Amino acid sequence: MSRSRRSVAALALAILCGWGSIALACTSIVVSRGASKNGSVMVTYSADAPFMPKLLYVPGGTHKAGELIQVRGWEDDRLCGPVKQVANTYSVVGLMNEHQLSLGETTTGGRRELVDPTGMLDYDALMLLTLQRARTAREAIKIVDELAREYGYRSSGETFSIADPNEAWIMELIGKGPDQKGVVWVAARVPDGMITAHANLSRITTFPLDDPENWLYSQDVIAFAIEKKFYSTDSQKPFSYRDAYHPGISPSQKRSCAGRVWSIYRHSAGSQAFSDAFFRGKEGAEDYPLFIKPDAPLGVSDVMALMRDHYEGTPYDMTKGLDAGPFGTPYRYRDLPFKVDGATYIWERPI
């Protein structure tokens, strides 16, 4: 079997509870070729929401010059457009196209003032258009940027998983507010032999500006932050994407988001003994690395098992105690926070 045919996108669905008060949440694992048992690139995408129980199919083809189209994303069937059609498009099934380019996402939110309600493209329409137009991960990054600049981006901050049969990337992006089209963004190639995970919390902090083989970014990602006073060169600190565009991460965000990354990492690289301190909100605790090397190469079944984790075997095991209810189930279709006697508490947030 050819290497390209061995490429796998594991698209996992879970209908669970939400992040924050009522928001919906997602988890993504990205596995490079060198970190998988058979040389495949793997991407997972769980969407804790009712908008994914359908398999998208968009046929590719050739199109007439000047043709305009309406784009319908999968989240709420909202029509976005009109958008100029390109001469040739590729067929899309789910979130993979005929060239095995695969996309996934988790919503990170970020600065609310950077949402542009006048933008044409939601994140899901942006992803679907990109899959119809790009053959490789690098092309997809370029097209995401071009589409956002031409038509405007109306969603909040996102982390995209972008993978083709050879490379895996994560791309973090956020809009520029209601007065400017486009997004500011940074994209990191997952080093061969490594994996990463993201779960509704910005993962990219500092990054090199002179390594285009492994790091890409919008030309104004730093200049825009300086213009908006999100970053000052007088600070003498290196620019951090997360600090500029996703500041003030709260303990509850860490608990409901970083815990999923911790659990993926603890299973994949138990020898590294990742602490739960950051996800439990301990002050001064170190965040989890952007990339890790798993103790052993991962197979498809291993990655599927990671997506089914409920903190089993840890103090946060959701199959035991009050969390599990009377039937020992980790699944709860209810909001993450709850109140008792005027105090707010939060359930554990699984993958």
Side-chain angles (χ1 to χ4, degrees), residues 300-323:
V300 176
S301 59
D302 299 320
V303 177
M304 291 173 70
L306 291 173
M307 293 299 292
R308 293 167 176 168
D309 179 71
H310 312 97
Y311 304 119
E312 287 90 345
T314 76
Y316 322 113
D317 192 333
M318 297 177 62
T319 67
K320 301 182 184 301
L322 188 63
D323 267 10

mmCIF file of all heavy atoms in Angstrom, residues 300-323:
data_model
loop_
_atom_site.group_PDB
_atom_site.id
_atom_site.type_symbol
_atom_site.label_atom_id
_atom_site.label_comp_id
_atom_site.label_asym_id
_atom_site.label_seq_id
_atom_site.Cartn_x
_atom_site.Cartn_y
_atom_site.Cartn_z
ATOM 1 N N VAL A 300 -3.318 3.581 14.735
ATOM 2 C CA VAL A 300 -4.654 4.169 14.673
ATOM 3 C C VAL A 300 -5.445 3.832 15.936
ATOM 4 O O VAL A 300 -6.100 4.692 16.523
ATOM 5 C CB VAL A 300 -5.407 3.675 13.418
ATOM 6 C CG1 VAL A 300 -6.830 4.203 13.414
ATOM 7 C CG2 VAL A 300 -4.679 4.118 12.163
ATOM 8 N N SER A 301 -5.375 2.581 16.378
ATOM 9 C CA SER A 301 -6.131 2.188 17.571
ATOM 10 C C SER A 301 -5.633 2.914 18.812
ATOM 11 O O SER A 301 -6.418 3.226 19.719
ATOM 12 C CB SER A 301 -6.048 0.670 17.783
ATOM 13 O OG SER A 301 -4.703 0.250 17.924
ATOM 14 N N ASP A 302 -4.323 3.206 18.871
ATOM 15 C CA ASP A 302 -3.782 3.965 20.005
ATOM 16 C C ASP A 302 -4.368 5.370 20.043
ATOM 17 O O ASP A 302 -4.744 5.874 21.103
ATOM 18 C CB ASP A 302 -2.254 4.064 19.899
ATOM 19 C CG ASP A 302 -1.572 2.724 19.918
ATOM 20 O OD1 ASP A 302 -1.992 1.847 20.699
ATOM 21 O OD2 ASP A 302 -0.602 2.549 19.136
ATOM 22 N N VAL A 303 -4.434 6.004 18.878
ATOM 23 C CA VAL A 303 -4.956 7.368 18.811
ATOM 24 C C VAL A 303 -6.453 7.378 19.125
ATOM 25 O O VAL A 303 -6.955 8.275 19.814
ATOM 26 C CB VAL A 303 -4.660 7.987 17.430
ATOM 27 C CG1 VAL A 303 -5.260 9.378 17.322
ATOM 28 C CG2 VAL A 303 -3.153 8.053 17.197
ATOM 29 N N MET A 304 -7.169 6.385 18.639
ATOM 30 C CA MET A 304 -8.590 6.284 18.970
ATOM 31 C C MET A 304 -8.789 6.138 20.477
ATOM 32 O O MET A 304 -9.691 6.744 21.061
ATOM 33 C CB MET A 304 -9.220 5.108 18.220
ATOM 34 C CG MET A 304 -9.317 5.324 16.722
ATOM 35 S SD MET A 304 -9.862 3.849 15.826
ATOM 36 C CE MET A 304 -11.564 3.754 16.361
ATOM 37 N N ALA A 305 -7.930 5.339 21.125
ATOM 38 C CA ALA A 305 -8.025 5.159 22.575
ATOM 39 C C ALA A 305 -7.762 6.469 23.313
ATOM 40 O O ALA A 305 -8.419 6.768 24.323
ATOM 41 C CB ALA A 305 -7.046 4.080 23.032
ATOM 42 N N LEU A 306 -6.814 7.260 22.818
ATOM 43 C CA LEU A 306 -6.551 8.567 23.436
ATOM 44 C C LEU A 306 -7.792 9.450 23.400
ATOM 45 O O LEU A 306 -8.081 10.182 24.352
ATOM 46 C CB LEU A 306 -5.394 9.266 22.713
ATOM 47 C CG LEU A 306 -3.997 8.669 22.877
ATOM 48 C CD1 LEU A 306 -3.018 9.376 21.960
ATOM 49 C CD2 LEU A 306 -3.545 8.745 24.326
ATOM 50 N N MET A 307 -8.526 9.374 22.298
ATOM 51 C CA MET A 307 -9.722 10.200 22.156
ATOM 52 C C MET A 307 -10.866 9.721 23.051
ATOM 53 O O MET A 307 -11.855 10.437 23.234
ATOM 54 C CB MET A 307 -10.175 10.222 20.699
ATOM 55 C CG MET A 307 -9.213 10.921 19.750
ATOM 56 S SD MET A 307 -8.941 12.658 20.141
ATOM 57 C CE MET A 307 -10.545 13.349 19.763
ATOM 58 N N ARG A 308 -10.744 8.524 23.623
ATOM 59 C CA ARG A 308 -11.815 7.986 24.470
ATOM 60 C C ARG A 308 -11.456 8.056 25.951
ATOM 61 O O ARG A 308 -12.084 7.404 26.778
ATOM 62 C CB ARG A 308 -12.088 6.536 24.060
ATOM 63 C CG ARG A 308 -12.678 6.427 22.660
ATOM 64 C CD ARG A 308 -12.657 5.007 22.149
ATOM 65 N NE ARG A 308 -13.309 4.930 20.840
ATOM 66 C CZ ARG A 308 -13.250 3.881 20.038
ATOM 67 N NH1 ARG A 308 -12.565 2.815 20.403
ATOM 68 N NH2 ARG A 308 -13.869 3.885 18.880
ATOM 69 N N ASP A 309 -10.444 8.830 26.286
ATOM 70 C CA ASP A 309 -9.973 8.906 27.662
ATOM 71 C C ASP A 309 -10.896 9.757 28.540
ATOM 72 O O ASP A 309 -11.386 10.804 28.113
ATOM 73 C CB ASP A 309 -8.565 9.513 27.683
ATOM 74 C CG ASP A 309 -8.026 9.654 29.079
ATOM 75 O OD1 ASP A 309 -7.706 8.623 29.680
ATOM 76 O OD2 ASP A 309 -7.952 10.797 29.573
ATOM 77 N N HIS A 310 -11.115 9.285 29.768
ATOM 78 C CA HIS A 310 -11.906 10.033 30.758
ATOM 79 C C HIS A 310 -11.142 10.154 32.062
ATOM 80 O O HIS A 310 -11.727 10.078 33.139
ATOM 81 C CB HIS A 310 -13.254 9.356 30.988
ATOM 82 C CG HIS A 310 -13.974 8.997 29.734
ATOM 83 N ND1 HIS A 310 -13.925 7.728 29.176
ATOM 84 C CD2 HIS A 310 -14.721 9.751 28.890
ATOM 85 C CE1 HIS A 310 -14.639 7.712 28.056
ATOM 86 N NE2 HIS A 310 -15.123 8.930 27.861
ATOM 87 N N TYR A 311 -9.828 10.283 31.976
ATOM 88 C CA TYR A 311 -8.946 10.390 33.143
ATOM 89 C C TYR A 311 -8.927 9.107 33.965
ATOM 90 O O TYR A 311 -8.642 9.139 35.165
ATOM 91 C CB TYR A 311 -9.330 11.587 34.020
ATOM 92 C CG TYR A 311 -9.347 12.904 33.292
ATOM 93 C CD1 TYR A 311 -10.516 13.649 33.184
ATOM 94 C CD2 TYR A 311 -8.200 13.410 32.703
ATOM 95 C CE1 TYR A 311 -10.541 14.856 32.504
ATOM 96 C CE2 TYR A 311 -8.211 14.620 32.029
ATOM 97 C CZ TYR A 311 -9.383 15.330 31.928
ATOM 98 O OH TYR A 311 -9.395 16.524 31.260
ATOM 99 N N GLU A 312 -9.251 7.972 33.339
ATOM 100 C CA GLU A 312 -9.217 6.718 34.076
ATOM 101 C C GLU A 312 -7.854 6.501 34.728
ATOM 102 O O GLU A 312 -6.809 6.759 34.132
ATOM 103 C CB GLU A 312 -9.524 5.536 33.141
ATOM 104 C CG GLU A 312 -10.975 5.423 32.722
ATOM 105 C CD GLU A 312 -11.328 6.174 31.461
ATOM 106 O OE1 GLU A 312 -10.525 7.024 31.036
ATOM 107 O OE2 GLU A 312 -12.411 5.916 30.902
ATOM 108 N N GLY A 313 -7.889 6.015 35.970
ATOM 109 C CA GLY A 313 -6.661 5.720 36.686
ATOM 110 C C GLY A 313 -5.984 6.913 37.312
ATOM 111 O O GLY A 313 -4.857 6.807 37.817
ATOM 112 N N THR A 314 -6.636 8.079 37.284
ATOM 113 C CA THR A 314 -6.095 9.276 37.931
ATOM 114 C C THR A 314 -7.064 9.728 39.020
ATOM 115 O O THR A 314 -8.185 9.219 39.117
ATOM 116 C CB THR A 314 -5.923 10.425 36.910
ATOM 117 O OG1 THR A 314 -7.213 10.987 36.619
ATOM 118 C CG2 THR A 314 -5.287 9.935 35.617
ATOM 119 N N PRO A 315 -6.677 10.688 39.849
ATOM 120 C CA PRO A 315 -7.618 11.203 40.851
ATOM 121 C C PRO A 315 -8.856 11.849 40.243
ATOM 122 O O PRO A 315 -9.818 12.127 40.960
ATOM 123 C CB PRO A 315 -6.784 12.244 41.608
ATOM 124 C CG PRO A 315 -5.365 11.837 41.401
ATOM 125 C CD PRO A 315 -5.321 11.256 40.020
ATOM 126 N N TYR A 316 -8.844 12.061 38.921
ATOM 127 C CA TYR A 316 -9.949 12.758 38.255
ATOM 128 C C TYR A 316 -10.802 11.788 37.429
ATOM 129 O O TYR A 316 -11.569 12.213 36.576
ATOM 130 C CB TYR A 316 -9.386 13.877 37.370
ATOM 131 C CG TYR A 316 -8.216 14.556 38.027
ATOM 132 C CD1 TYR A 316 -6.925 14.455 37.499
ATOM 133 C CD2 TYR A 316 -8.377 15.251 39.236
ATOM 134 C CE1 TYR A 316 -5.843 15.039 38.145
ATOM 135 C CE2 TYR A 316 -7.294 15.827 39.886
ATOM 136 C CZ TYR A 316 -6.027 15.719 39.330
ATOM 137 O OH TYR A 316 -4.961 16.289 39.979
ATOM 138 N N ASP A 317 -10.655 10.505 37.696
ATOM 139 C CA ASP A 317 -11.366 9.439 36.979
ATOM 140 C C ASP A 317 -12.865 9.708 36.963
ATOM 141 O O ASP A 317 -13.522 9.768 37.998
ATOM 142 C CB ASP A 317 -11.079 8.104 37.662
ATOM 143 C CG ASP A 317 -11.518 6.911 36.833
ATOM 144 O OD1 ASP A 317 -12.447 7.055 36.019
ATOM 145 O OD2 ASP A 317 -10.921 5.835 36.999
ATOM 146 N N MET A 318 -13.416 9.872 35.759
ATOM 147 C CA MET A 318 -14.831 10.228 35.618
ATOM 148 C C MET A 318 -15.760 9.025 35.616
ATOM 149 O O MET A 318 -16.976 9.174 35.502
ATOM 150 C CB MET A 318 -15.018 11.051 34.347
ATOM 151 C CG MET A 318 -14.275 12.380 34.391
ATOM 152 S SD MET A 318 -14.430 13.301 32.857
ATOM 153 C CE MET A 318 -16.189 13.571 32.811
ATOM 154 N N THR A 319 -15.182 7.832 35.714
ATOM 155 C CA THR A 319 -16.021 6.637 35.789
ATOM 156 C C THR A 319 -16.295 6.210 37.224
ATOM 157 O O THR A 319 -16.917 5.174 37.458
ATOM 158 C CB THR A 319 -15.356 5.465 35.036
ATOM 159 O OG1 THR A 319 -14.150 5.078 35.733
ATOM 160 C CG2 THR A 319 -15.034 5.846 33.611
ATOM 161 N N LYS A 320 -15.819 6.980 38.191
ATOM 162 C CA LYS A 320 -15.977 6.622 39.601
ATOM 163 C C LYS A 320 -16.509 7.810 40.404
ATOM 164 O O LYS A 320 -16.324 8.967 40.021
ATOM 165 C CB LYS A 320 -14.643 6.169 40.196
ATOM 166 C CG LYS A 320 -14.031 4.968 39.496
ATOM 167 C CD LYS A 320 -12.731 4.542 40.152
ATOM 168 C CE LYS A 320 -12.066 3.404 39.388
ATOM 169 N NZ LYS A 320 -12.932 2.222 39.291
ATOM 170 N N GLY A 321 -17.168 7.509 41.518
ATOM 171 C CA GLY A 321 -17.595 8.541 42.447
ATOM 172 C C GLY A 321 -18.734 9.386 41.934
ATOM 173 O O GLY A 321 -19.494 8.992 41.041
ATOM 174 N N LEU A 322 -18.843 10.590 42.481
ATOM 175 C CA LEU A 322 -19.941 11.494 42.154
ATOM 176 C C LEU A 322 -19.979 11.835 40.665
ATOM 177 O O LEU A 322 -21.048 11.968 40.072
ATOM 178 C CB LEU A 322 -19.813 12.775 42.990
ATOM 179 C CG LEU A 322 -20.967 13.766 42.927
ATOM 180 C CD1 LEU A 322 -22.231 13.131 43.486
ATOM 181 C CD2 LEU A 322 -20.625 15.034 43.699
ATOM 182 N N ASP A 323 -18.787 11.968 40.054
ATOM 183 C CA ASP A 323 -18.728 12.267 38.621
ATOM 184 C C ASP A 323 -19.518 11.259 37.791
ATOM 185 O O ASP A 323 -20.144 11.617 36.790
ATOM 186 C CB ASP A 323 -17.270 12.233 38.134
ATOM 187 C CG ASP A 323 -16.616 13.599 38.183
ATOM 188 O OD1 ASP A 323 -17.213 14.519 38.757
ATOM 189 O OD2 ASP A 323 -15.501 13.735 37.652
#
